[in-house]
Amino acid sequence: MAKKKNLRSSEWFNSKNHKRDTFLHRGWMRNQGHPQHLFDGRPVIGICNTWSELTPCNGHFREISDYVKKGVYEAGGFPLEFPVFSASESNLRPTAMLFRNLASMDVEEAIRGNPIDGVVLLMGCDKTTPSLLMGAGSVDLPTIGVSGGPMLNGQYQGNTIGSGTGVWKLDADLTAGIISENDFIDAEISMSRSKGNCMTMGTASTMGSMVEALGMSLPGNAAIPAVDSRRYSLAFMSGKRIVEMVNEDLKMSKIITKKSFENAIKVNGAIGGSTNAVIHLAAIAGRLEIDIGLSDWEKSGKNIPTLVNLQPSGKYLMEDFYYAGGLPVVIKRLLEKKILHEQCITVNGKTIFENNIDAKCWNDDVIKKYETPLVENGGIKILRGNIAPDGAIIKPSAASPELMKHKGKAVVFESVEELHNKIDNPNLDVDENSILVLKNCGPKGYPGMAEVGNMRLPQKLLKKGIRDMIRISDARMSGTAYGTVILHTSPETAVKGPLAAVQNGDIIELDVERGVLNLLVDEKIIKKRVDSYKPVLPDIKGGYQKMYVDHVMQADKGADLDFLVGKRGDKVKRYSH
Ligand code: FES
């Protein structure tokens, strides 16, 4: 393969006109022991690492990075690893989503400002995948994604348990008095028994699948368990491939196109993917100046059957998914039905068709056949109506079929705090036909749009054996959660979206098939209530959070900061010493 001339790293390391600068750039790098020949004009590959001990899902990324480096060296490149902000879903407060955009800014500036010709993105825990793709998208160098992979299946008391999904079930059982406090604690390490990210089809595994469906990783990336030797081989091969991508000038914008997003939306339906993908794909698309909105989910996501039988929609876990053949089988099954754009190019230079059409399935109960799916019409359903003029979403595959068409009395909570204070009050006027409504949890309201939309059910109903009710909010929900949960109502309550108008006892109508979500109250009364509504706004003292609240866009636009949308390229001003 011909080597690319005029590498951007040569501006730092090989400039003939600025010998003093070159000395300074090269000399200081050499304090790490790099020999001179590594600065001979070979591609410099940045390894963008979200490793952190506070992001346990990404705790093994230094090992993965070592394998990427081996591949880069073998292909004649020079790998340099750098850390970026790592947003941990399990630890970061008030919510990791608040920091997705901050992390993306870090990624973008770190890539652009450094002597890098191509980038490997090491991604795992939920927000680390979109933040890296968003930041890298705004620079648009040759880029390849390597996910950290899921944990091994949880094993508890003779049964498998899935990350997140198991927690919601165990918590309901504890509240209902079915299990003890000690049982609950024992389940912790039984659930998380290896390195890796959540092994349900939660947001992390969904976004890993989106990376593969978009063509941004080598085939098979989504499902290989974090501790499986094949994960490390894939990292090695990705390191090798990024050097070739630099020489081919195969930039991110040549791979990610409107069509590849449409493919990703369809794949999301087939895997029963997380509702969070709606927000993250919109934000990534925005960075690459591609318009992806709820209407694309309506169009491309329509009538896609859910094939993957994984929790929270089904019964298996990511380890099973990998052993059954992983995402290539899902893509093959959609390709056979002519559902995908088959000519979309991927990072290995081949089309999505060439990569996946020969995939083999080893377990048709884990990856169902197209003709006998887990759910006929899976995916994400978009709802509209006077509560959510700019849309709301529901994941039918994780919901109760009998609640998909329902009218019920609203039980309203103005904030998460009010929900926690009142939900278990025995005098709360609520029954299983009621609809729980939570306000002020959108992008500006919480802030960061916390994953609180799958509200816990009232204790008195849990004790009666009720396990699902309709819940509506402007919040998000964990990709591992389940239930008849309507999310992302836009505009949010904090900017006086019409969810603000809902009061206790109002009747709400839901019809998922027709895509309808309405408050059955006279429109004039709704307007009057909205006009006089006083949102519960967060107490922001300044700093990044102030900037976030001032600039964050609504959920239907991807909740990116308005000034971050778009490509700003890889050009950077020379700093002359
Ligand atoms: Fe990190 Fe679930 S908490 S992937």
Side-chain angles (χ1 to χ4, degrees):
M1 156 136 350
K3 289 200 173 160
K4 184 172 188 278
K5 298 200 176 90
N6 306 323
L7 291 169
R8 72 189 291 277
S9 62
S10 293
E11 292 269 315
W12 280 259
F13 296 143
N14 307 94
S15 173
K16 302 235 174 340
N17 303 329
H18 302 88
K19 291 217 162 87
R20 189 173 59 176
D21 285 357
T22 301
F23 180 101
L24 290 165
H25 293 308
R26 273 201 316 233
W28 264 253
M29 288 298 287
R30 293 194 65 193
N31 77 354
Q32 299 173 95
H34 301 304
Q36 190 186 352
H37 73 272
L38 291 180
F39 299 90
D40 61 0
R42 65 187 63 204
V44 177
I45 304 301
I47 303 173
C48 182
N49 199 342
T50 47
W51 170 87
S52 165
E53 286 184 341
L54 286 166
T55 306
C57 308
N58 298 10
H60 56 304
F61 278 20
R62 282 175 160 175
E63 293 160 56
I64 291 192
S65 176
D66 284 345
Y67 280 81
V68 173
K69 286 179 187 170
K70 289 181 195 193
V72 172
Y73 280 125
E74 185 179 299
F78 177 19
L80 292 168
E81 182 182 352
F82 62 98
V84 288
F85 188 99
S86 184
S88 159
E89 202 60 33
S90 56
N91 281 326
L92 206 52
R93 292 181 178 176
T95 167
M97 180 64 176
L98 177 60
F99 304 105
R100 182 199 65 179
N101 301 338
L102 176 66
S104 77
M105 291 163 79
D106 178 358
V107 171
E108 175 183 343
E109 301 301 341
I111 293 173
R112 182 183 299 113
N114 276 301
I116 290 170
D117 302 304
V119 198
V120 181
L121 306 177
L122 302 191
M123 316 174 277
C125 194
D126 298 16
K127 305 302 173 290
T128 58
T129 299
S131 61
L132 266 55
L133 289 169
M134 288 161 70
S138 285
V139 186
D140 195 21
L141 291 180
T143 304
I144 192 167
V146 178
S147 298
M151 289 185 252
L152 296 176
N153 290 355
Q155 291 289 342
Y156 177 62
Q157 296 183 344
N159 296 310
T160 54
I161 48 170
S163 326
T165 308
V167 180
W168 319 128
K169 276 203 174 77
L170 288 161
D171 181 55
D173 288 349
L174 183 68
T175 309
I178 295 168
I179 60 166
S180 72
E181 203 63 60
N182 279 344
D183 289 333
F184 194 63
I185 291 169
D186 278 354
E188 286 173 8
I189 200 156
S190 314
M191 183 176 288
S192 304
R193 65 188 191 92
S194 84
K195 294 166 182 173
N197 56 245
C198 292
M199 85 311 264
T200 40
M201 187 51 85
T203 304
S205 295
T206 298
M207 291 310 296
S209 301
M210 294 298 90
V211 169
E212 190 171 333
L214 285 166
M216 281 301 299
S217 71
L218 294 181
N221 170 66
I224 308 171
V227 295
D228 192 303
S229 51
R230 288 164 284 192
R231 169 69 53 198
Y232 297 85
S233 284
L234 181 130
F236 188 117
M237 297 311 290
S238 302
K240 235 179 127 180
R241 178 60 194 151
I242 187 66
V243 177
E244 295 166 4
M245 286 173 72
V246 169
N247 287 327
E248 293 165 11
D249 202 24
L250 185 55
K251 291 182 176 172
M252 196 166 163
S253 57
K254 292 185 185 163
I255 292 161
I256 299 196
T257 60
K258 176 98 183 172
K259 286 186 173 168
S260 62
F261 274 112
E262 288 171 355
N263 281 349
I265 290 171
K266 289 169 181 174
V267 169
N268 185 274
I271 62 173
S274 164
T275 47
N276 284 319
V278 179
I279 290 192
H280 297 324
L281 290 192
I284 297 162
R287 296 303 184 93
L288 287 146
E289 299 170 4
I290 299 167
D291 186 23
I292 291 291
L294 295 183
S295 55
D296 294 288
W297 286 83
E298 267 160 346
K299 193 162 59 87
S300 297
K302 209 168 160 188
N303 301 328
I304 302 290
T306 300
L307 307 181
V308 177
N309 187 5
L310 252 60
Q311 296 178 30
S313 301
K315 83 176 178 198
Y316 296 102
L317 294 169
M318 286 300 287
E319 207 183 328
D320 309 305
F321 184 40
Y322 179 57
Y323 302 149
L327 199 70
V329 174
V330 179
I331 293 175
K332 174 197 167 124
R333 291 193 167 160
L334 298 181
L335 284 167
E336 284 172 340
K337 298 293 167 192
K338 308 273 177 227
I339 284 172
L340 299 181
H341 301 293
E342 47 186 59
Q343 293 310 316
C344 286
I345 289 291
T346 72
V347 285
N348 66 3
K350 295 184 181 161
T351 65
I352 192 166
F353 181 90
E354 291 167 326
N355 281 341
N356 297 291
I357 198 63
D358 295 325
K360 294 202 172 33
C361 184
W362 308 107
N363 189 333
D364 287 327
D365 194 40
V366 177
I367 309 173
K368 302 276 189 187
K369 293 201 167 135
Y370 192 89
E371 292 71 23
T372 50
L374 181 72
V375 180
E376 286 285 346
N377 289 312
I380 309 287
K381 187 83 185 175
I382 308 302
L383 304 170
R384 293 182 200 272
N386 61 5
I387 294 183
D390 292 339
I393 64 169
I394 185 169
K395 180 172 164 183
S397 61
S400 300
E402 67 278 9
L403 290 174
M404 304 294 263
K405 187 170 179 176
H406 183 81
K407 276 184 198 166
K409 242 176 19 177
V411 178
V412 178
F413 305 96
E414 292 292 331
S415 66
V416 178
E417 291 72 25
E418 187 180 317
L419 169 79
H420 290 152
N421 288 338
K422 292 190 176 165
I423 192 74
D424 288 334
N425 185 333
N427 298 322
L428 186 70
D429 184 12
V430 64
D431 64 29
E432 54 269 43
N433 297 312
S434 306
I435 295 180
L436 305 180
V437 174
L438 175 61
K439 301 180 187 175
N440 293 300
C441 292
K444 285 180 195 281
Y446 191 84
M449 210 181 170
E451 294 187 331
V452 292
N454 58 318
M455 291 161 250
R456 189 157 64 76
L457 304 191
Q459 194 175 32
K460 64 181 177 185
L461 297 181
L462 286 169
K463 283 190 170 155
K464 266 175 71 182
I466 305 300
R467 287 293 184 271
D468 194 16
M469 291 170 71
I470 296 178
R471 288 156 270 180
I472 303 175
S473 71
D474 47 13
R476 296 177 304 115
M477 120 175 141
S478 163
T480 62
Y482 53 89
T484 312
V485 184
I486 295 157
L487 303 155
H488 311 183
T489 61
S490 298
E492 62 173 306
T493 332
V495 296
K496 292 202 179 194
L499 187 69
V502 184
Q503 295 185 356
N504 281 323
D506 287 347
I507 302 296
I508 294 174
E509 175 196 28
L510 168 70
D511 187 337
V512 174
E513 198 177 329
R514 284 171 45 232
V516 167
L517 179 66
N518 274 321
L519 177 62
L520 302 184
V521 169
D522 185 85
E523 289 297 332
K524 281 192 192 126
I525 295 175
I526 293 179
K527 181 167 182 326
K528 213 166 146 195
R529 287 185 190 171
V530 169
D531 287 347
S532 62
Y533 185 75
K534 300 239 172 326
V536 182
L537 292 173
D539 178 23
I540 304 274
K541 304 226 167 12
Y544 166 74
Q545 296 197 17
K546 170 84 170 66
M547 183 172 79
Y548 174 90
V549 168
D550 288 347
H551 290 280
V552 71
M553 301 188 296
Q554 288 297 288
D556 60 309
K557 302 274 185 297
D560 199 0
L561 303 185
D562 50 14
F563 60 86
L564 291 177
V565 175
K567 277 191 278 185
R568 285 167 284 280
D570 68 340
K571 296 280 172 287
V572 64
K573 198 171 170 175
R574 162 180 288 278
Y575 173 79
S576 203
H577 294 89

